[in-house]
Amino acid sequence: MKFNVVVVGSTGLVGQRLVSMLSKHQWFNLIGITASKDKANKKYKDVVKWSLENKMPENVEEMIVYDTNIENINNLKPDIVFTSLPTDISKDFDIQLVKQGYVVISHASNNRMDKDVPLLNPEVNADHINVLKLQANRWKGRLIKVPNCATSILTLALKPIYDNFGLRHVFVSTMQALSGAGINGVSSMAILDNIIPYIEHEEEKIENESLKILGELSNESIKPNESFYVSASVHRVNVLEGHLESVFLKTDNDVSVEEIKKSLIEFKENKIKNLNLPTKPSQPIIVRNEIDRPQPRLDRNEGNGMSIVVGRIRKDNRNWIKFNVLGHNTIRGAAGNGVLIGELVAKNYNDIIQ
Ligand SMILES: N[C@@H](CC=O)C(=O)O
């Protein structure tokens, strides 16, 4: 059986990636796409400023775009709704959808820290999906959140280190690609010959969401991890796709560079759930040994953009571990993770909606 899905907010960069991945997905039928009123009732190919490297899938070119409103979703009656809307719109629209009974996978930052809302990065915390049962007290439907892009990339790298060696402190300095700010996000006058050392709310998102993703699931809710903390500093750089993050961390016990490398290479997924999902990369973490990798242009498409690449793993003379991690921000960090979550939801659909 295939699940009927709708993409709400289909014309932005993340929306385009969702449309591209869902239009030819073995488990999903893309039955509807929405956008703002000015684009509604027109063909997708006529309203979207297609910005992906691959051609627009033929089966969506002629699709008629719906206005983003609840009546249109009710007419379509999808099993799963993927939303990629600005937060100020998403914070109301996501809730309208779950109140109506839909299963919603949302990319915006509203509600990400709610105790009964899973913030999923499936290889890291697929078991957090069980908290959805608690939402029965709030809504007819279910709300699942896709984390911030830099956070998804970071937490995938931290998971095996945390599991094997414990963590005390994590400092991260990010170099974030332009696509993270959306199609009209940063002007060329601002970013050419430049680096901008600020992205609104990004540092708090990385610091808080990481602890939730690496937190414990208890009967009551998801308890954010209290055994370590994350401190972040973010920068927008002149790169199209691929967030590079420079990580400094202290483990509970001293550990060698070789042990860290081994734990990253051997990591496959969250041990509690057996994730046999089509979008899951066979090797979620790739370790490079060259002194000058990872690099966005060379490494962002590993595992179809779903693998992260870690390199320059080293230690300083106070036993701090340092490394660089790169991930494709609009795939691993956004739409690809959204689709992977969709697959996890589809696999557990009956349990989720009881
Ligand atoms: N806020 C991020 C996008 C990912 O969620 C960015 O600005 O790069």
Side-chain angles (χ1 to χ4, degrees):
M1 186 191 108
K2 278 195 165 191
F3 289 78
N4 288 337
V5 302
V6 165
V7 174
V8 168
S10 60
T11 56
L13 281 182
V14 175
Q16 291 182 31
R17 290 239 178 251
L18 285 169
V19 167
S20 174
M21 294 180 84
L22 293 168
S23 63
K24 45 180 190 279
H25 195 286
Q26 48 189 301
W27 294 5
F28 301 125
N29 275 326
L30 182 61
I31 57 164
I33 49 181
T34 87
S36 51
K37 222 180 221 22
D38 54 314
K39 296 182 178 131
N41 303 317
K42 296 176 186 151
K43 288 180 182 171
Y44 188 60
K45 68 173 186 191
D46 294 334
V47 295
V48 69
K49 192 172 164 191
W50 192 253
S51 306
L52 306 189
E53 52 292 329
N54 299 331
K55 225 176 133 274
M56 183 186 304
E58 276 177 24
N59 58 335
V60 295
E61 285 180 359
E62 305 285 323
M63 275 179 94
I64 301 297
V65 175
Y66 293 91
D67 178 23
T68 300
N69 66 47
I70 208 78
E71 291 74 31
N72 284 333
I73 305 295
N74 285 339
N75 289 334
L76 289 162
K77 293 192 180 43
D79 301 305
I80 302 172
V81 186
F82 292 84
T83 67
S84 173
L85 294 167
T87 306
D88 54 332
I89 302 174
S90 199
K91 70 181 182 340
D92 295 326
F93 199 67
D94 284 353
I95 304 304
Q96 280 188 52
L97 288 167
V98 286
K99 280 185 174 163
Q100 293 276 317
Y102 294 106
V103 175
V104 179
I105 298 172
S106 160
H107 284 79
S109 60
N110 54 286
N111 297 89
R112 277 191 187 145
M113 295 304 292
D114 292 6
K115 286 184 173 169
D116 57 356
V117 174
L119 184 60
L120 295 178
N121 196 9
E123 295 95 329
V124 178
N125 66 343
D127 57 314
H128 287 194
I129 200 171
N130 294 325
V131 85
L132 281 173
K133 291 185 192 98
L134 295 180
Q135 288 187 17
N137 303 325
R138 278 221 265 184
W139 304 306
K140 209 164 130 202
R142 299 291 180 266
L143 179 63
I144 299 125
K145 282 280 163 178
V146 183
N148 163 274
C149 47
T151 309
S152 294
I153 295 161
L154 176 68
T155 50
L156 184 49
L158 293 182
K159 173 71 175 166
I161 302 174
Y162 174 72
D163 282 353
N164 287 294
F165 315 111
L167 282 170
R168 280 192 199 165
H169 316 288
V170 176
F171 300 146
V172 58
S173 181
T174 70
M175 289 145 272
Q176 299 188 210
L178 293 166
S179 55
I183 292 180
N184 301 313
V186 184
S187 77
S188 52
M189 280 304 282
I191 201 67
L192 284 171
D193 187 30
N194 212 5
I195 292 173
I196 302 170
Y198 175 71
I199 301 171
E200 194 181 18
H201 303 311
E202 193 76 356
E203 293 176 353
E204 305 90 282
K205 288 179 193 170
I206 296 171
E207 290 166 1
N208 298 328
E209 292 180 23
S210 296
L211 298 183
K212 178 169 178 180
I213 293 168
L214 289 162
E216 285 288 313
L217 176 76
S218 78
N219 287 339
E220 298 302 312
S221 58
I222 300 160
K223 195 165 165 283
N225 198 308
E226 286 176 357
S227 65
F228 70 102
Y229 77 100
V230 177
S231 187
S233 172
V234 301
H235 309 83
R236 183 74 68 201
V237 298
N238 194 358
V239 164
L240 284 180
E241 295 273 19
H243 286 358
L244 182 63
E245 306 181 22
S246 190
V247 181
F248 305 73
L249 61 84
K250 191 93 169 120
T251 52
D252 273 342
N253 303 311
D254 282 346
V255 57
S256 70
V257 166
E258 283 314 311
E259 286 172 308
I260 295 276
K261 256 187 209 175
K262 188 166 176 284
S263 74
L264 294 168
I265 293 167
E266 287 178 357
F267 178 74
K268 291 287 178 227
E269 62 195 31
N270 177 306
K271 292 192 185 88
I272 302 161
K273 287 257 174 200
N274 175 18
L275 301 178
N276 191 9
L277 307 174
T279 301
K280 189 175 96 62
S282 54
Q283 186 70 37
I285 305 175
I286 292 168
V287 174
R288 306 252 357 177
N289 292 312
E290 301 90 326
I291 50 167
D292 58 354
R293 302 289 277 272
Q295 295 179 19
R297 190 151 46 87
L298 302 181
D299 297 311
R300 63 192 165 207
N301 290 323
E302 283 289 357
N304 293 323
M306 286 299 287
S307 299
I308 59 164
V309 183
V310 177
R312 302 213 61 227
I313 306 171
R314 59 215 191 273
K315 220 171 153 174
D316 72 9
N317 57 17
R318 297 266 173 118
N319 285 322
W320 282 73
I321 297 289
K322 303 190 275 184
F323 60 81
N324 286 74
V325 56
L326 175 90
H328 196 303
N329 52 297
T330 59
I331 302 181
R332 176 79 238 185
N337 194 22
V339 173
L340 187 63
I341 293 168
E343 293 164 357
L344 180 70
V345 164
K347 216 174 161 186
N348 295 277
Y349 201 78
N350 291 335
D351 291 341
I352 286 170
I353 54 163
Q354 330 167 322

